[in-house]
């Protein structure tokens, strides 16, 4: 990967900020399970980065 290509990528802190904005929000996932962002007992999620991203809980991702 060239330096110019590397510079197109943002740091993971930008992605973390997006998740911080979701804190307290509740979602039903594609697998049918639920997630509450920022909650201690909330499910972890797996994101399959396809044309239409699939978002499922980590248990169903195995």
């Amino acid at each position: 990967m060239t330096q110019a290509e590397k510079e197109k990528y943002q740091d993971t802190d930008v992605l973390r900020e997006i998740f911080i904005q979701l804190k307290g929000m509740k979602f039903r996932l594609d697998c049918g399970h639920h997630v509450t962002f920022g909650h201690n007992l909330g499910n972890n999620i797996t994101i399959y980065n396809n044309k239409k991203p699939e978002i499922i809980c980590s248990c169903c991702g195995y």
Side-chain angles (χ1 to χ4, degrees):
M1 183 179 295
T2 66
Q3 187 63 29
E5 290 172 327
K6 288 180 182 179
E7 290 175 0
K8 292 179 183 178
Y9 289 86
Q10 298 182 37
D11 193 46
T12 55
D13 289 333
V14 176
L15 190 55
R16 283 187 189 94
E17 286 297 320
I18 294 169
F19 285 112
I20 289 171
Q21 293 174 7
L22 295 174
K23 187 174 183 175
M25 296 180 79
K26 299 172 182 285
F27 297 93
R28 185 175 44 256
L29 304 174
D30 292 327
C31 62
H33 291 112
H34 298 84
V35 66
T36 302
F37 284 96
H39 190 275
N40 291 340
L41 300 176
N43 284 339
N44 291 321
I45 62 170
T46 302
I47 302 172
Y48 290 107
N49 191 19
N50 299 319
K51 185 175 182 180
K52 181 184 177 202
E54 183 181 3
I55 305 170
I56 60 175
C57 72
S58 59
C59 292
C60 292
Y62 290 113

